[in-house]
Amino acid sequence: LLGTACKLLPYWRNRFLQVPPEQQLKFFGLVEQWSRGTKVPIDRANRVEAELQRQFRYTLEGPEEHDSDPVEHFLFSRKEGHCEYFAASMVLLLRADGIPARVVNGFAGGEWNRGGGFFTFRREHAHSWVEAYFDDQGWVRFDPTPRVFEMEPTGFFAKLRLRFQRMKLQWMVWVVNFNASRQLQFFKG
């Protein structure tokens, strides 16, 4: 029930508040620093999101070898990573602050094919973001990853690829999936 206010059952509330005990105080300290003077939970969540976007850098390069927890290393040492680091960090920070939170995975961005009127989603458009639960609002979406997505590709080869995708879609619609009902629809006008 995304975005609808409903009561989160105690079992699920506790589940979405789990933080490794050895990191609880460290993460809570960072939330306190970032949201100093803010008491309302959703405002604290907005501050955490803003600080991650402002102070950290997006990169697809993997981190160097280290002995610490990956999220802790991201937050306190490396300060750069991909969307999974941003989302996992925000979730653990919110949980340490007593706000139920979860990581959500899906796709963001995509390539708009103007000629075909559709989006193409590829592996590089996979994305992770955060949902936090507030009693008065239900699950609310946050995206702590700095914006790096390009909606419409540019350049000769990108445009050529878009034309090829459009032809491929038209082939699927008008040849491969040209069944009896579509044939009837076509000949009716």
Side-chain angles (χ1 to χ4, degrees):
L1 293 170
L2 179 63
T4 59
C6 62
K7 194 72 173 155
L8 192 61
L9 298 174
Y11 168 79
W12 290 106
R13 178 175 290 282
N14 291 336
R15 189 174 176 114
F16 292 122
L17 286 171
Q18 293 177 352
V19 178
E22 64 276 4
Q23 294 171 323
Q24 179 82 31
L25 285 175
K26 196 170 192 178
F27 290 163
F28 180 74
L30 190 55
V31 174
E32 277 295 301
Q33 177 187 337
W34 286 352
S35 58
R36 191 165 280 124
T38 306
K39 299 288 184 222
V40 179
I42 196 163
D43 293 341
R44 292 174 71 81
N46 282 322
R47 290 262 183 101
V48 169
E49 177 186 49
E51 290 301 318
L52 284 166
Q53 290 174 347
R54 187 177 69 78
Q55 293 186 32
F56 293 74
R57 190 176 79 82
Y58 180 83
T59 181
L60 289 174
E61 295 174 22
E64 65 281 355
E65 293 291 322
H66 56 85
D67 293 330
S68 64
D69 174 80
V71 172
E72 192 172 327
H73 181 71
F74 169 77
L75 281 171
F76 299 103
S77 300
R78 188 158 193 245
K79 298 186 184 278
E80 64 178 21
H82 50 74
C83 60
E84 290 171 322
Y85 285 103
F86 284 89
S89 296
M90 183 169 181
V91 163
L92 289 174
L93 290 167
L94 294 180
R95 287 178 175 189
D97 197 31
I99 301 170
R102 62 188 177 191
V103 172
V104 180
N105 296 301
F107 291 89
E111 293 176 355
W112 175 245
N113 189 313
R114 187 184 310 264
F118 60 88
F119 278 96
T120 299
F121 294 96
R122 301 181 188 290
R123 181 179 27 187
E124 62 263 22
H125 299 124
H127 190 57
S128 296
W129 60 91
V130 174
E131 289 178 352
Y133 183 83
F134 304 96
D135 289 331
D136 59 336
Q137 294 179 288
W139 290 102
V140 176
R141 183 181 188 271
F142 294 89
D143 191 351
T145 306
R147 301 286 173 253
V148 294
F149 302 106
E150 182 179 309
M151 294 301 278
E152 190 170 350
T154 58
F156 173 76
F157 289 109
K159 289 178 182 178
L160 188 63
R161 186 175 71 226
L162 291 176
R163 284 197 179 157
F164 177 73
Q165 289 171 346
R166 188 170 118 212
M167 290 184 337
K168 188 174 171 184
L169 178 66
Q170 289 174 343
W171 174 263
M172 291 298 291
V173 169
W174 293 106
V175 176
V176 175
N177 292 332
F178 198 65
N179 57 24
S181 69
R182 227 180 241 271
Q183 290 174 20
L184 186 62
Q185 180 185 3
F186 177 77
F187 288 113
K188 279 185 175 179

